[in-house]
Amino acid sequence: MSIKEKSVRIMKNSLLFHGLSPNDCGNLFDLFGPAHKTYLRDEVVMNEGDLVESIGLVCSGRLISERIDRNGKQRLIQNRCQGQVVALEAAAHPTKRCPVTVVCASNAEVIFFPYERFFDNLLPHEIKSKMFANMMGMLAHIVEKQISKIEIISHRSLRQRIWAYLCSMAVQYGSTTFCIYMNREELAGYLGVNRSALSHELSKMCADGLVSFNKNQFTLLDEKEIQLIKSFYPCTLAMGD
């Protein structure tokens, strides 16, 4: 499979190009002339403060966005997997400066689309309107994720932070059993806690009958809390049934 064929397959299944046909995606690939790059695990894709002029679409692998706080600790901000976009908010910002450091959590392939090409006069109005609407929806989703994280880490106790995160994942997946992409080190960074403390508290929660887990698969067991989730999020009524 050629790079174009692989890229078009990823494009048509991504939110950025949602609603466009494979033929539209192929034409856009030719017009944009995106750069295809491969990375090794732990390789830096972009550093905090870098000038960003392209939007990255993950073809394979997983990227994480992180920041280093004043104490030198890594704080995980985002996870990006196949079909997801990286650096949209940076490319759209007036300063065009990356607010985070983007690192490969595995070997990865990314295709970069020049941001200004999304507003090219050569683009048909209908296609341009669809992509613009998609971008607005994705930016709104980023804000929603950031609000969710603020809510999660605002809890004082470690157990409350863990439980709030796991409940948010249950709502996202519509099931009391789900898998997360983050390993323990990354989850600890996301929650702003020590890895050993996180592992210890997860074991205690398991012993207390709140959750069960096997590596990255979790199951919520507290029926009272599950019913509470269902009452707040009617769309998840099938959870645990």
Side-chain angles (χ1 to χ4, degrees):
M1 183 182 293
S2 68
I3 291 177
K4 178 179 177 179
E5 290 173 331
K6 184 176 182 179
S7 299
V8 168
R9 179 173 58 83
I10 300 297
M11 288 169 65
K12 70 184 183 66
N13 292 319
S14 71
L15 289 177
L16 181 58
F17 298 100
H18 177 71
L20 301 183
S21 69
N23 186 58
D24 289 333
C25 291
N27 291 336
L28 287 173
F29 185 92
D30 293 334
L31 178 63
F32 279 70
H36 176 271
K37 297 186 179 181
T38 59
Y39 299 92
L40 299 176
R41 180 175 180 174
D42 296 327
E43 191 172 353
V44 174
V45 177
M46 57 186 72
N47 284 295
E48 182 176 346
D50 282 354
L51 182 66
V52 177
E53 296 181 312
S54 296
I55 299 174
L57 181 64
V58 182
C59 255
S60 66
R62 183 168 67 92
L63 311 182
I64 57 174
S65 301
E66 58 189 21
R67 297 192 75 170
I68 308 299
D69 66 19
R70 65 182 64 184
N71 296 315
K73 294 182 179 179
Q74 292 180 331
R75 304 297 187 191
L76 189 144
I77 309 299
Q78 293 176 335
N79 257 297
R80 288 290 180 261
C81 301
Q82 186 184 79
Q84 295 184 312
V85 165
V86 62
L88 170 59
E89 60 271 43
H93 195 277
T95 65
K96 296 192 177 299
R97 295 292 173 179
C98 189
V100 295
T101 295
V102 182
V103 182
C104 294
S106 67
N107 292 349
E109 295 177 81
V110 185
I111 42 180
F112 291 93
F113 297 87
Y115 181 69
E116 73 274 4
R117 292 287 179 87
F118 285 90
F119 306 96
D120 198 307
N121 290 330
L122 295 177
L123 286 175
H125 176 73
E126 182 181 357
I127 290 179
K128 187 186 297 187
S129 296
K130 283 183 179 179
M131 291 194 298
F132 184 76
N134 291 342
M135 283 185 186
M136 293 302 99
M138 293 168 66
L139 288 171
H141 183 65
I142 290 172
V143 172
E144 182 182 24
K145 284 286 190 181
Q146 290 173 339
I147 292 173
S148 177
K149 181 177 181 180
I150 291 171
E151 182 180 359
I152 289 168
I153 65 175
S154 67
H155 291 287
R156 291 189 176 184
S157 77
L158 175 53
R159 176 168 294 201
Q160 288 176 324
R161 290 189 185 189
I162 295 171
W163 185 253
Y165 171 76
L166 294 178
C167 287
S168 72
M169 290 296 98
V171 171
Q172 178 178 323
Y173 289 105
S175 173
T176 53
T177 297
F178 50 86
C179 289
I180 66 174
Y181 286 110
M182 292 184 280
N183 59 35
R184 294 293 184 271
E185 187 69 38
E186 292 165 354
L187 180 56
Y190 179 86
L191 297 175
V193 300
N194 179 273
R195 176 180 175 176
S196 60
L198 170 65
S199 296
H200 179 67
E201 190 60 38
L202 279 172
S203 296
K204 288 174 62 178
M205 292 173 72
C206 185
D208 290 343
L210 296 176
V211 299
S212 66
F213 59 87
N214 179 27
K215 296 183 179 179
N216 285 8
Q217 179 174 296
F218 289 81
T219 299
L220 305 187
L221 301 175
D222 190 316
E223 189 59 35
K224 181 179 178 180
E225 290 290 342
I226 291 172
Q227 293 303 322
L228 187 61
I229 295 173
K230 290 180 179 181
S231 68
F232 275 97
Y233 301 95
C235 63
T236 62
L237 286 175
M239 292 197 311
D241 293 345

